[in-house]
């Protein structure tokens, strides 16, 4: 009995164990299959039903709505474009009219004036210059010392103007043109020859010349004035005249007594040059007759 009962019990135990193992194996497989089936249903939810579930309705497509405000904005933009186009046309027409006026003015200016190249000289002989001068008829009065006899000094008046000269190769000086800026201009009756000297004080070259000048009223006198200017050498050995000064000759007043008495009655023997003004120079072209 024991031998027949043991196999029976063993078979029952194996059946029991086999049923639990089958349950344990099939249960997860069924659960995994359920999960896969649920995922498949979710992926297909937009096209078909899964397990009898109703599909969700499709979302409505968006529509672009135009309002009356956007219509008004479009019409305003069209108006602005039309206004801008009209303004551009008016500006173009005005520019064309102005361009024609400018062309006429420029042509008239070219016809009325010609470009004059600045004159350049490398030596004094044959050069031409414009002199702008301003000088007085008398030098500035010296301060009177205490005890000196008061004297009636002549009136002092300034004169100004312009003068064009040519320093010729032979040492003479020609007046090209003479004229003043106003009624106070002096009249140059004659300009004497020019000379070039080297100063012993600064070893620089100076040009010297003199002129007989008549002064207008209320002075109404004629006498000789002396002109002096420094000659500078610039680039390419071009010459220029600088620091022009105008002087006049005046007698030296001798004090009374002493050895000065031997010069009494011989006025004009002792004299000195007194500065009365200055002038500026710029080179100008030679007269057309010499070109």
């Amino acid at each position: 009995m024991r031998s027949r009962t043991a196999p029976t019990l063993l078979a029952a135990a194996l059946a029991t164990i086999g049923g639990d193992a089958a349950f344990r194996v099939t249960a997860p497989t069924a659960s995994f299959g359920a999960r896969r089936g649920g995922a498949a249903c979710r992926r297909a939810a937009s096209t078909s039903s899964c397990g009898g579930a109703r599909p969700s309705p499709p979302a409505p497509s968006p529509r672009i709505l135009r309002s009356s405000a956007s219509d008004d904005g479009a019409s305003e933009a069209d108006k602005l474009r039309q206004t801008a186009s009209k303004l551009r046309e008016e500006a173009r027409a005005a520019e064309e009219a102005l361009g024609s006026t400018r062309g006429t003015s420029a042509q008239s200016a070219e016809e009325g004036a010609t470009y004059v190249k600045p004159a350049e000289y490398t030596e004094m002989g044959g050069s031409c210059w414009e002199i702008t001068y301003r000088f007085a008829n008398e030098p500035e009065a010296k301060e009177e010392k205490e005890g000196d006899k008061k004297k009636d000094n002549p009136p002092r008046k300034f004169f100004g103007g312009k003068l064009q000269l040519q320093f010729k190769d032979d040492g003479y000086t020609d007046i090209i043109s003479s004229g003043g800026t106003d009624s106070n201009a002096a009249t140059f009756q004659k300009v004497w020859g020019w000379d070039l000297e080297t100063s012993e004080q600064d070893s620089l070259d100076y040009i010297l010349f003199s002129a007989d000048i008549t002064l207008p009223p209320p002075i109404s006198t004629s006498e000789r004035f002396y002109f002096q200017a420094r000659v500078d050498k610039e680039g390419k050995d071009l010459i220029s005249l600088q620091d022009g000064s105008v002087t006049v000759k005046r007698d030296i007043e001798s004090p009374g007594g002493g050895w000065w008495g031997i010069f009494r009655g011989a006025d004009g023997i002792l004299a000195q040059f007194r500065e009365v003004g200055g002038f500026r120079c710029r080179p100008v072209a030679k007269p057309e007759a010499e070109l």
Side-chain angles (χ1 to χ4, degrees), residues 183-259:
S183 59
N184 289 330
T187 302
F188 285 73
Q189 303 292 347
K190 181 178 178 58
V191 179
W192 297 90
W194 64 275
D195 193 13
L196 198 64
E197 294 184 359
T198 301
S199 174
E200 296 180 355
Q201 298 179 354
D202 54 17
S203 300
L204 298 177
D205 292 336
Y206 290 84
I207 185 174
L208 310 172
F209 62 94
S210 60
D212 293 339
I213 300 175
T214 300
L215 303 177
I219 304 302
S220 301
T221 60
S222 296
E223 63 178 313
R224 185 167 297 180
F225 289 81
Y226 300 85
F227 295 76
Q228 171 182 297
R230 189 180 70 250
V231 181
D232 288 349
K233 290 273 188 177
E234 300 178 352
K236 299 180 181 179
D237 292 332
L238 300 179
I239 59 174
S240 64
L241 301 182
Q242 307 292 336
D243 296 337
S245 63
V246 183
T247 58
V248 66
K249 187 183 294 186
R250 290 292 181 262
D251 295 338
I252 297 178
E253 299 177 0
S254 59
W259 63 274

Side-chain angles (χ1 to χ4, degrees), residues 17-160:
I17 295 171
D20 293 340
F23 174 78
R24 286 193 298 271
V25 171
T26 58
T29 305
S31 177
F32 177 74
R35 286 197 298 270
R36 291 183 63 187
C41 289
R42 284 193 298 270
R43 285 196 297 270
S46 60
T47 57
S48 63
S49 61
C50 180
R54 293 183 62 185
S56 58
S61 59
R63 290 191 306 166
I64 300 175
L65 301 179
R66 290 185 177 273
S67 63
S68 60
S70 63
D71 295 339
D72 295 341
S75 62
E76 288 295 332
D78 293 338
K79 291 180 180 180
L80 290 176
R81 282 193 291 269
Q82 293 176 2
T83 303
S85 177
K86 184 178 180 181
L87 290 175
R88 283 194 295 269
E89 291 296 332
E90 293 178 355
R92 187 180 299 108
E95 183 65 22
E96 291 177 357
L98 184 60
S100 61
T101 304
R102 287 177 178 172
T104 304
S105 301
Q107 183 178 1
S108 301
E110 291 178 358
E111 292 176 355
T114 56
Y115 173 74
V116 178
K117 182 180 178 180
E120 297 177 343
Y121 299 102
T122 57
E123 56 185 12
M124 288 303 305
S127 63
C128 299
W129 303 83
E130 181 181 77
I131 297 174
T132 303
Y133 62 85
R134 185 176 185 272
F135 59 87
N137 61 309
E138 290 290 337
E140 188 176 0
K142 294 182 179 180
E143 296 183 359
E144 295 181 354
K145 298 180 181 180
E146 186 177 354
D148 291 346
K149 183 179 180 180
K150 293 184 178 181
K151 296 182 179 181
D152 294 332
N153 294 320
R156 189 167 186 255
K157 184 175 176 59
F158 279 89
F159 304 90

